[in-house]
Amino acid sequence: RLALHFEKAYEEAKRSERALDFDDLQLRAVRLLGAGTPASVTLRKIYREKFSEILVDEYQDTNRLQDRLLELIRRENNLFVVGDFRQSIYAFRGAEVKIFLEREKANVQSPNGARISLAENYRSRPRLIQFVNSFFETLWREDGIPFEPLEATRSEEGEGPRVHWLALAGEKDESLDEVRIREA
């Protein structure tokens, strides 16, 4: 009830101020471009011609509405997305990592699409990359996530960074997720 009351009050406040929030702008843009009317078809054509290339960074944090908006304004071969599904952090805002994985699969299967891996690491020393690869290969295997190791391109100079890992043992009846939260 409280959430519904808040939503009603929020919508009324926006109306009285003649204001729109970010979600309103996205919804209205999708409605306008996707209406199927002659005007919306013309508008889509204008935007498709306007943008020679479309680049979306952090695509793993895209939601269905944003993806639909991109579909309405993109041409067949002018969308370039960057992201890593393992770094998705905005599920609470409606982001669906599944959208990224679907796009990645479609791009790989498309004759003009491609997947470019960015596995080279130019910043970290090889010993640190070796630890990261070992740690995450084990962690993600437990979660059923495919692992793609990083490649260290920097030379090993001097002693370099050291990794100190403090692992916590699980308490009785504690889930793996709860242990990970305590470790963090």
Side-chain angles (χ1 to χ4, degrees), residues 7-25:
E7 183 178 0
K8 185 177 177 183
Y10 181 60
E11 291 299 322
E12 182 54 41
K14 287 191 299 184
R15 264 192 302 280
S16 70
E17 293 292 321
R18 295 181 166 204
L20 299 173
D21 64 17
F22 187 65
D23 286 337
D24 295 329
L25 295 173

Side-chain angles (χ1 to χ4, degrees), residues 98-137:
K98 182 179 177 184
I99 297 168
F100 176 84
L101 296 172
E102 289 168 357
R103 173 84 55 199
E104 181 181 50
K105 183 178 179 182
N107 282 349
V108 170
Q109 292 174 348
S110 167
N112 297 315
R115 178 186 186 273
I116 302 169
S117 174
L118 301 177
E120 294 93 5
N121 183 299
Y122 296 93
R123 295 182 187 169
S124 303
R125 299 195 196 299
R127 283 188 279 177
L128 181 59
I129 296 299
Q130 184 181 14
F131 169 78
V132 168
N133 284 340
S134 174
F135 180 82
F136 282 101
E137 181 179 25

Side-chain angles (χ1 to χ4, degrees), residues 50 52 60 69 85 90 93 102 111 118 120 124 139 141-142 151 160:
K50 179 180 177 91
S52 59
Q60 74 275 2
L69 182 55
F85 74 93
Y90 289 106
R93 257 189 8 198
E102 289 168 357
L118 301 177
E120 294 93 5
S124 303
L139 179 69
R141 187 180 329 116
E142 291 171 2
E151 299 169 26

Side-chain angles (χ1 to χ4, degrees), residues 78-98:
N78 75 334
L79 179 62
F80 183 87
V81 300
V82 178
D84 182 347
F85 74 93
R86 292 167 288 245
Q87 294 185 29
S88 183
I89 59 172
Y90 289 106
F92 70 92
R93 257 189 8 198
E96 295 180 48
V97 74
K98 182 179 177 184

Side-chain angles (χ1 to χ4, degrees), residues 18-44:
R18 295 181 166 204
L20 299 173
D21 64 17
F22 187 65
D23 286 337
D24 295 329
L25 295 173
Q26 294 176 98
L27 281 165
R28 288 177 182 223
V30 167
R31 279 191 210 128
L32 180 65
L33 292 164
T37 64
S40 68
V41 170
T42 300
L43 194 56
R44 275 197 310 274

